Amino acid sequence: MRLRRLVFIFHLSFFGFQFAFARSVTFPVHGLDVVGEEPVPISCEWDEKWFWETKTTTYHHGIARIAALFSEISYVPVEKNPDSNELIRSYRLLGFKDSAIEHNYMLDYTTPLRGNNQAAYSFASKDIQTPDGTKKLVFVVLRGTPLSANEWISNINVSDTTHKDTIVHEGFYNTMTNVHKALIYYLLKQKISPDEAYFLITGHSRGAALANLLGATLEDEGIITGERLFVYTFAAPNVTQAENTNDPKYDFIWNIVNAEDIVPSVPPARHNWKWKKFGQMRVIANYWNTDPSLYMNEYLPRMNEYFSKMLARDYAPFKNGPFIQIQIARVLTNLYKTVEAYYGSMFGLRGMAEDIFWKVFPEDEDGEKALKSLGDGSEKDVRESKILLHLQKSINETTTNGFDYLKNAFLDMHACESYLSWLLAFDESEVYSSLGSSQIVISGSYDCAVYDNEGTLLARIRDGILEIKSLKIPVSAFPLPNKVIIGFPGNQNLNVVIHKDSLIPTVISYEIEHYDAAGRLLGESEKHRLFPQARRVISFKAGDVTLESDEIDYQTLKGKDAGSLISEYDLRQNIKFNVQLELGFTSDSIFTAGIRTGSQALFGTILNSFSTKNAGKAFGLLLGIGHQQPLFGRVLLDLEGFNKLVWSSDDVEGREFNVVPMGRFTLSFKPRHRFHFFAGGTFELHVEDFNDGAFDMLNRDTNLHGLQLGDKTEIIPSFVFGIRM
């Protein structure tokens, strides 16, 4: 061993210290989204000794940075300018000789067997000096998805062959096997012994999925063991449903993800879909898992020092952690509960997505794939463009250029430039966070407000319906039928109040879901119930306190305390003005139609009525006022008083006019905010010699006996039912 170290020292002195110790290398960085023709010069530290000093199961930030740089640069097509290509130039900067650099960027997707399951990649190798003598360092850099429909289609190939549930993602696995064979052939051709080499395998997005699978496969085969494999992936999609992905033997695989990025969460890991990645996870800092003030005032400016060089603008974060990708997984797994449903013939996502990819990435005359606009200029396309422009203008006006920001945010969440900028701007202790988040799923009819400790309203729900315009960061919320999901960051506690102006306590159910920093579901609570009621509110905190708790710690406020919160956050439903169309029918064969306008506290109703049994015999106009009181849940009690003006037919004197005082008592059920079903009773006052014409059996069909109040006065009841919308 001592002799080996002497030989190593000799090598250092003979070949020069510049190749043995850390040095700064300036790379020509270009990629898929980099703005401008010329590459951006970016400097990064490089040291070959990292690979023999560091255990593969120990994260190394220097190696991660180099891996991110090469993952970014790999998007530049090599075949167009191989001598001046940024990837080849970067290899040369690190001392790789052209004779040991191989690349495969000329892909023919019409090739039998391989078809769409191909990816561009490059291999490079060089000698490095270690205490154990000369070893080989091998780079395996896998390109992510280019502007190519073929590779996007491979990305959604979960199980094209059988359309059945599978352990490994078919598109990624078949592509990886092609790369695997090429790597083995490269090692044989370069006469590299796996036991005498160190390997860096890296990629972004699709390239990251391939790197993840390739690393796990090499370890399982035992040809290249994990002690020699440094695998660093960026934004890797899930690749397998195997149960052993957390086995320590895969700890040499480091999956670096942005929690706001949707791609690392697909295929989903929810319900019947149980997709994962091999190895360990590191989650980049965001607004939900880092101190918010530090993130906005220090982290983003530092990150943008790199990001703006590449994209000529600032980074656009969503600032809601993994909330969006969690909701996408929730919706997808509810719509497509199985792989068979995913491949469904009519509404299967697999077929629809492929159609979209061919439209977005059509072939040009040279057979290349290019990002082009949808449509062919037809009248339909023009109409859709106008709708999109109107939507864009509307969102921008109401949210301060929100549409443009949203567009950039969807690009930035997954861009390799984003991952690279974060890693370059910060060291390991700053750039990652393990802080998770929670979501509360509330079901039922209720009014709710979420606000911060300064009293600023962050979200409001009325009658179980989310008010989108009320949402403010850091809260996020997502509406589903009869429920709303509210997302809370783990880096602070926020205040929540729930109210329901009902006479009888209303049952509100809730569940708490717990997520790790990457957005993976850790667990969910059982259903719990709350019972809000008129003149009292339920108040609790959520965020840090609900990270692990399966039940909220709430208090019930009454009197002035409740009233002030209800008033401050505008939770009174009974003062909201609305207009509804009403259609009704009574047991006396009377059809009514009209409108109701006003609030729950006081509304007015105008209805036209006529007999369906004796058509043309009587017509009515009902003018009334009323009050609506929530009874419990979505059931409401309506109390109304009417003056019914009736023009009825008389065979002797012709038409006559009658006035009928009337009361109406109904129960309404509203499955949705504006749509009501109602049923109840009407009670009309019949006064002899005053309004007899309105009750003439020739003009109406009275089915119920009247209630006699005196010699000349009786109450005529009837049943009524109908809808309001």
Side-chain angles (χ1 to χ4, degrees):
M1 179 61 70
R2 185 169 181 177
L3 179 60
R4 284 183 177 179
R5 293 192 178 276
L6 290 174
V7 171
F8 176 62
I9 294 172
F10 171 77
H11 278 298
L12 289 181
S13 60
F14 185 80
F15 291 107
F17 287 91
Q18 68 270 27
F19 293 107
F21 294 101
R23 60 189 176 98
S24 179
V25 179
T26 301
F27 294 89
V29 176
H30 218 291
L32 189 62
D33 298 314
V34 172
V35 176
E37 295 280 335
E38 297 299 319
V40 178
I42 291 181
S43 298
C44 184
E45 188 181 62
W46 165 250
D47 196 336
E48 294 170 357
K49 71 177 181 180
W50 293 337
F51 294 92
W52 51 263
E53 280 190 346
T54 308
K55 288 185 177 180
T56 59
T57 54
T58 301
Y59 174 85
H60 194 286
H61 202 53
I63 297 176
R65 284 171 167 167
I66 291 295
L69 276 162
F70 274 82
S71 295
E72 165 69 21
I73 300 169
S74 70
Y75 278 99
V76 182
V78 176
E79 71 278 2
K80 289 186 176 180
N81 300 294
D83 291 332
S84 60
N85 175 267
E86 287 81 1
L87 180 61
I88 304 302
R89 290 163 58 192
S90 297
Y91 276 132
R92 291 168 180 165
L93 286 169
L94 297 188
F96 292 95
K97 295 180 179 180
D98 287 5
S99 59
I101 302 173
E102 290 190 7
H103 53 80
N104 179 38
Y105 275 72
M106 295 292 289
L107 305 179
D108 181 3
Y109 299 113
T110 64
T111 303
L113 299 179
R114 293 187 178 184
N116 296 329
N117 298 320
Q118 300 184 61
Y121 56 83
S122 62
F123 305 141
S125 59
K126 60 174 292 189
D127 290 336
I128 60 172
Q129 306 307 318
T130 77
D132 295 322
T134 301
K135 303 294 181 182
K136 288 287 187 180
L137 176 61
V138 180
F139 272 31
V140 178
V141 180
L142 304 160
R143 185 186 67 182
T145 314
L147 304 179
S148 160
N150 298 87
E151 293 191 35
W152 277 104
I153 291 169
S154 178
N155 291 344
I156 60 173
N157 172 12
V158 175
S159 182
D160 282 4
T161 302
T162 65
H163 294 190
K164 303 291 185 182
D165 202 18
T166 182
I167 294 297
V168 66
H169 186 287
E170 184 174 295
F172 294 150
Y173 182 79
N174 289 345
T175 306
M176 182 277 296
T177 58
N178 294 327
V179 178
H180 178 275
K181 292 175 184 176
L183 175 61
I184 299 302
Y185 181 71
Y186 172 83
L187 296 178
L188 292 173
K189 187 166 60 174
Q190 294 289 332
K191 298 180 180 179
I192 298 173
S193 171
D195 294 335
E196 298 296 319
Y198 299 98
F199 295 81
L200 172 61
I201 304 175
T202 189
H204 168 259
S205 191
R206 174 177 171 82
L210 303 178
N212 187 279
L213 270 177
L214 179 60
T217 300
L218 292 171
E219 163 63 26
D220 289 341
E221 292 174 339
I223 298 174
I224 306 174
T225 61
E227 291 82 0
R228 299 279 178 179
L229 292 169
F230 294 83
V231 180
Y232 285 78
T233 78
F234 305 92
N238 291 322
V239 298
T240 183
Q241 295 190 95
E243 296 181 356
N244 67 335
T245 53
N246 291 326
D247 192 310
K249 72 177 183 177
Y250 301 121
D251 280 355
F252 61 88
I253 302 175
W254 294 94
N255 301 295
I256 297 167
V257 302
N258 172 13
E260 297 180 353
D261 189 354
I262 296 169
V263 173
S265 68
V266 293
R270 197 178 186 95
H271 301 315
N272 294 327
W273 298 74
K274 304 181 184 302
W275 291 87
K276 295 161 284 187
K277 291 177 269 287
F278 293 100
Q280 304 188 64
M281 189 92 70
R282 285 294 179 95
V283 181
I284 292 173
N286 61 58
Y287 194 81
W288 267 25
N289 63 20
T290 305
D291 179 84
S293 178
L294 183 68
Y295 179 82
M296 295 299 297
N297 299 324
E298 182 177 339
Y299 276 32
L300 284 182
R302 285 171 59 184
M303 183 266 196
N304 279 317
E305 289 179 9
Y306 291 94
F307 188 85
S308 60
K309 290 179 182 179
M310 291 181 278
L311 274 78
R313 61 172 175 80
D314 284 348
Y315 175 70
F318 281 113
K319 293 189 286 190
N320 60 358
F323 186 82
I324 293 176
Q325 52 117 324
I326 291 170
Q327 306 321 313
I328 290 175
R330 188 191 304 273
V331 171
L332 287 178
T333 54
N334 282 331
L335 289 176
Y336 306 100
K337 297 186 182 299
T338 63
V339 172
E340 289 87 346
Y342 171 75
Y343 282 96
S345 57
M346 184 173 295
F347 298 107
L349 181 61
R350 171 64 177 82
M352 290 190 293
E354 180 168 342
D355 290 341
I356 292 172
F357 292 148
W358 282 122
K359 290 179 180 179
V360 175
F361 306 108
E363 287 190 340
D364 61 21
E365 295 178 355
D366 297 326
E368 296 177 343
K369 312 299 179 192
L371 183 61
K372 297 180 179 179
S373 61
L374 286 170
D376 55 8
S378 65
E379 182 180 343
K380 180 176 180 290
D381 290 323
V382 172
R383 185 165 62 251
E384 290 177 347
S385 297
K386 288 182 178 178
I387 294 173
L388 184 61
L389 288 172
H390 176 76
L391 178 64
Q392 177 177 349
K393 181 180 178 182
S394 176
I395 295 176
N396 282 341
E397 287 176 350
T398 56
T399 59
T400 313
N401 294 325
F403 187 91
D404 297 329
Y405 186 92
L406 193 64
K407 178 179 63 178
N408 289 335
F410 271 106
L411 171 67
D412 296 352
M413 69 176 183
H414 183 61
C416 193
E417 292 83 2
S418 302
Y419 284 82
L420 176 59
S421 298
W422 281 114
L423 265 66
L424 292 174
F426 300 94
D427 60 31
E428 177 187 353
S429 64
E430 298 172 300
V431 73
Y432 300 121
S433 174
S434 60
L435 185 63
S437 61
S438 62
Q439 295 180 19
I440 302 181
V441 183
I442 309 178
S443 304
S445 174
Y446 60 96
D447 303 316
C448 172
V450 183
Y451 59 96
D452 61 20
N453 292 331
E454 285 71 45
T456 303
L457 178 68
L458 303 175
R460 181 164 49 218
I461 300 165
R462 283 202 178 100
D463 196 23
I465 306 297
L466 173 66
E467 289 187 353
I468 301 296
K469 289 185 178 180
S470 70
L471 285 176
K472 296 183 181 66
I473 295 299
V475 168
S476 284
F478 183 69
L480 287 173
N482 199 40
K483 65 179 64 173
V484 175
I485 297 97
I486 310 176
F488 296 92
N491 56 10
Q492 56 189 297
N493 280 319
L494 301 171
N495 305 290
V496 184
V497 293
I498 294 179
H499 170 253
K500 180 65 180 181
D501 191 23
S502 59
L503 295 176
I504 302 172
T506 292
V507 179
I508 305 297
S509 66
Y510 75 89
E511 301 166 78
I512 302 178
E513 298 176 343
H514 310 290
Y515 296 89
D516 69 7
R520 294 177 297 186
L521 181 63
L522 299 176
E524 51 192 326
S525 72
E526 297 179 351
K527 278 192 176 182
H528 299 284
R529 290 174 174 79
L530 302 172
F531 301 92
Q533 188 181 359
R535 295 180 297 280
R536 68 181 191 181
V537 300
I538 291 172
S539 174
F540 60 91
K541 289 186 177 293
D544 174 46
V545 297
T546 51
L547 279 177
E548 298 180 359
S549 175
D550 281 341
E551 194 168 357
I552 59 175
D553 183 14
Y554 69 89
Q555 57 179 326
T556 301
L557 303 179
K558 303 177 182 179
K560 291 183 178 180
D561 292 336
S564 63
L565 286 172
I566 294 169
S567 177
E568 183 175 358
Y569 297 108
D570 196 15
L571 297 179
R572 295 187 184 277
Q573 276 291 299
N574 62 352
I575 63 173
K576 300 304 173 185
F577 183 87
N578 62 74
V579 178
Q580 289 179 295
L581 171 67
E582 178 180 311
L583 301 174
F585 193 77
T586 74
S587 58
D588 290 348
S589 301
I590 302 295
F591 177 78
T592 60
I595 61 170
R596 168 189 284 193
T597 180
S599 66
Q600 284 185 351
L602 184 65
F603 58 83
T605 304
I606 302 176
L607 299 172
N608 289 305
S609 71
F610 63 89
S611 173
T612 59
K613 184 172 183 180
N614 301 308
K617 294 291 186 179
F619 301 91
L621 178 66
L622 286 74
L623 304 175
I625 60 172
H627 170 75
Q628 187 176 69
Q629 175 63 52
L631 197 59
F632 62 89
R634 297 189 180 277
V635 178
L636 305 104
L637 174 65
D638 293 271
L639 308 174
E640 300 169 89
F642 288 92
N643 261 333
K644 183 177 181 181
L645 310 179
V646 181
W647 287 265
S648 59
S649 175
D650 188 292
D651 293 337
V652 178
E653 300 180 1
R655 290 195 175 275
E656 66 175 44
F657 172 75
N658 292 274
V659 178
V660 181
M662 187 183 88
R664 186 168 73 167
F665 305 89
T666 59
L667 290 176
S668 300
F669 174 73
K670 50 178 183 177
R672 295 298 295 163
H673 186 52
R674 293 183 55 82
F675 196 88
H676 292 194
F677 295 102
F678 68 89
T682 65
F683 302 88
E684 299 177 53
L685 184 65
H686 177 202
V687 180
E688 190 177 333
D689 299 328
F690 173 67
N691 55 16
D692 294 332
F695 298 94
D696 193 318
M697 294 299 292
L698 295 175
N699 299 325
R700 63 181 287 172
D701 183 13
T702 304
N703 295 314
L704 299 178
H705 293 293
L707 175 64
Q708 205 70 34
L709 298 181
D711 292 339
K712 294 187 175 183
T713 307
E714 65 176 338
I715 297 292
I716 305 297
S718 65
F719 294 116
V720 61
F721 57 91
I723 60 172
R724 300 187 188 98
M725 49 191 168

